[in-house]
Amino acid sequence: MSSNPQHDYLERVKAEIRAEADCARERDRVPRAEALAPAQARACDDGIDRECLDYAIGELTDAHYSAFLDLAFRALLKRPPDDVGSETQVRLLAAGASKAEILGNLRWSPEGRRIGTRVRGLLPRYALAKLARVPLLGYFVDWGIALAGLPILLRHQRAADTSVAARFAAATDAQREHDRRLEEFRIGLAALGVEHDRHFEAIGDDIRRALLRLDSLEQRAQALEGRTTTLEQVSATSARELIDQRHHVLTANHWVVSLQRNLAELEDAANAQRARTDQLTATIKEPAAESASRSARHAGWAGELATRLPAASAVLDLGSGDGAWLDALSARGVAARGVETNSVLVARAQARGAQIALGDPLGALTRCADASLGGLVVAAHTLAASDTDIAELLAHAQRALKPEGYLLLRLEQGATRLVGTSSAMLDAAHWAAILRGAGFDAVSELVATSGTALLARRP
Amino acid sequence: MRIAMLVPGLAPHDAVSNDALGMTVALRSLGHEVALFAPHARGIDEPVHAPATLDAWLRSTTDVVIYHYCSSWDFPLALFRRARARRVVRYHNITPPEFFAGWSAGYVDECARARAQLDAFATLDCELYLGDSPFNVADFTARGVGADRCAVLAPFHQVAQLAALAPDSSRIPDAVPLLLMVGRLAPNKGHLDLVDALAACIASDDEGAHLLIIGKLDPNLASYGEALRAHIQERSLQSRVTLLHDADGAELRAAYERADALVMLSQHEGFCVPLIEAMALGTPVIALASSAIPWTLGDAGLLWEAADPHLIAASVARLRRDEELRRMLRERGLKRYADAFAPAPLARQLGQLMGRISTA
């Protein structure tokens, strides 16, 4: 067993793609964990760490003023400061309250108690701050705290003096650097001014040249305008002529459309008439006796023709009617193709499985290639049709038949015809003479009940 | 041989016109005398005669009339009933009217009338029924026409001229991956499925995916255009879909060059010329295995039995990362085009068919 490696590769790729698609479909069905991640990320984006409920007091007192309040609200109440709460605490700070007191106010507010954040070192400081608010006693408490903290305050003061001196020296250096840059900028600005003036003059020269060019263009535009006016006059004359011509064309077009409509109506009427004729013709019932006679007659003729044709000969039957003759040929093993003008009979015969086409019999014969037919059968009503050119038909029969091929004329009244065929058209002797005159030989008569067939050979 | 080429209309950038003109050129190079007949023509650099003069033009029973059957037209039917010349029905297929139900009553009527003529042509026992694809020929064999009277010949086209153009990418989106669809906006073409496939691409790993639709919108199908836009809006893909109704050849050339894949989810095609354009220009193809598409594409693309968005998205993703697959599909496409659809093999097949008609 052999296999194409490239085919196998493509099939393997397709199987893998199918598997990937199945996975993607499954992912669509299950809520995606990563889809939740952004929502959680958004919750932390507001700067509130809701998981943290334990702080050292130093973490909350480094910031100052509004930054301090913002941090305190977010740490202790787990929300940003609201306008009223923030304003109250700012007032306290402005009135000299300590940060410990502000933190304590928030921590032990009803909202802060519900959250219960722990701040290490806050409770004693908050208690002292509250004690300092007690009348009279608070005054002594403040004094005590101040005296106790005096050495620390002195150390802070000395450190602050040093820091201020260092920052002042840095600020002086920065001021000098700033002055130097300012001077450089002034020099650069003066140079730019000179350059700007030079460019300004050059632009002025360009504008003067452009104005001169504009004057020249205006003169040319005026000249063109004069020529355009002339052209417009010519164009207007042409347009009037064009309108006249358009009128003539529309008139002719209207006439052609009317003609086409009339032709179409005539064609429709002719088609309808033809359909009615076909329908009526197809309703004619052949008497049982004649039908039996016709079947016997056809069987005999088909047998005679079959014995003369080589095997697998192509046979064309012109004017097949209801296809009974084709059936007779088929029963003798002759594969014949028929052509009939009656669409109702053709549809019926096709439904029975007969090889029959709707069309003009002579047209079908003329489309046959040279020497392509073993046998050709022509019905009497086809010969009698008003638009059949007998000479042309026989000439095409000579051309399309192979040498030694046979032509069979069925001289019988059609089973399903509105108008019978004249006796002159069924005269076998008359047709035999015509066939000999047209170049056929071995003309023989096959006489049967109610009909005669003429069999002729193409030399 | 004198050959009359009868077409319902001739216009540039039209598949049936390209076929008729291509056949004309090929038949003339084989030494035949060919004349074009059409009720209206524009932009054609070729004399076109009125159909009413065709009867007079035919002189011999060995003359041939080739009718390009793609719409309802009574004239050819009447002509074929009375003509004594040899008759060829060049069948380009008619979209079944069901596809247009609910979109355009006019299209439903026209397609129903055009398809009804299939029975009439089948009864005429013409010398040759010539389909663009085996799918087209099946419409006649199913109506009792013998296989000996039928043949397949892919349509002549303008792919070589397209390949020779300098690409103009000024209006082509610079997105990766870029999914391309070429074909008029019509309900059978699967545009709504394409939008779903694009959404699936974006939902998977191809977040930059973009869909470029190149095709004209018939005003009679405006409701379909609106439905497509609404579908794009529902999916919030307005910025990911580009519709070009007026692309010229240079832009089409650039689109094939830039696209990661031609995605063809059409449910009914008599042949599908964009497939061979993509094959000839080396663009990989992902397609729905409907109507004539499997025959036209052969093994030169990824064919799927259903327009499943996840399947299409996975195919696009695989094509992007699998260079070996891209190379293989490109080579197969170029080979299939050169072997079956290039002008030379088409002209050779047409010559053989004409020989067959002359001895019929």
Side-chain angles (χ1 to χ4, degrees), chain A residues 146-219:
Chain A
L147 283 173
L150 198 54
I152 297 169
L153 282 173
L154 287 172
R155 195 163 55 245
H156 280 182
Q157 171 122 22
R158 285 192 293 277
D161 287 348
T162 306
S163 173
V164 167
R167 285 171 190 265
F168 185 74
T172 307
D173 291 345
Q175 178 68 33
R176 282 199 203 97
E177 178 63 18
H178 174 72
D179 291 346
R180 190 182 62 73
R181 288 190 179 178
L182 193 61
E183 188 55 30
E184 284 176 4
F185 177 71
R186 279 189 189 134
I187 293 166
L189 197 61
L192 278 175
V194 171
E195 183 74 4
H196 171 264
D197 291 346
R198 197 170 60 73
H199 280 299
F200 191 73
E201 283 177 14
I203 289 169
D205 290 344
D206 288 345
I207 289 173
R208 279 189 288 280
R209 279 195 293 276
L211 286 173
L212 287 172
R213 174 103 177 120
L214 193 62
D215 286 343
S216 159
L217 286 173
E218 272 182 4
Q219 288 168 5

Side-chain angles (χ1 to χ4, degrees), chain B residues 181-246:
Chain B
M181 162 67 187
V182 179
R184 70 193 179 104
L185 264 68
N188 59 307
K189 299 280 184 181
H191 292 93
L192 303 181
D193 292 333
L194 266 174
V195 173
D196 291 340
L198 174 68
C201 281
I202 293 168
S204 61
D205 297 334
D206 289 325
E207 291 176 357
H210 197 102
L211 172 62
L212 172 61
I213 298 173
I214 294 182
K216 288 191 172 64
L217 174 62
D218 185 335
N220 294 314
L221 287 172
S223 59
Y224 179 68
E226 286 305 314
L228 175 60
R229 284 193 185 85
H231 195 56
I232 293 168
Q233 206 160 7
E234 276 167 26
R235 295 280 197 164
S236 302
L237 293 173
Q238 296 94 315
S239 62
R240 303 300 192 90
V241 180
T242 301
L243 288 162
L244 286 183
H245 298 310
D246 56 348

Side-chain angles (χ1 to χ4, degrees), chain A residues 8 48 59 65 212 241 256 269 278 290 344 362 437:
Chain A
D8 291 347
I48 298 171
E59 291 178 67
Y65 192 50
L212 287 172
E241 290 173 2
V256 168
D278 286 354
E290 284 186 27
V344 180
L362 185 53

Side-chain angles (χ1 to χ4, degrees), chain A residues 239-291:
Chain A
R240 280 195 295 275
E241 290 173 2
L242 202 61
I243 289 168
D244 290 344
Q245 286 178 3
R246 185 167 176 272
H247 177 70
H248 291 317
V249 168
L250 287 175
T251 306
N253 188 46
H254 178 71
W255 181 80
V256 168
V257 169
S258 302
L259 189 62
Q260 282 176 334
R261 198 178 298 126
N262 290 339
L263 284 173
E265 284 172 3
L266 286 171
E267 279 181 2
D268 288 347
N271 289 339
Q273 178 60 40
R274 185 180 181 82
R276 279 197 297 275
T277 306
D278 286 354
Q279 193 62 48
L280 181 58
T281 302
T283 58
I284 298 171
K285 297 285 183 193
E286 188 179 24
E290 284 186 27
S291 177

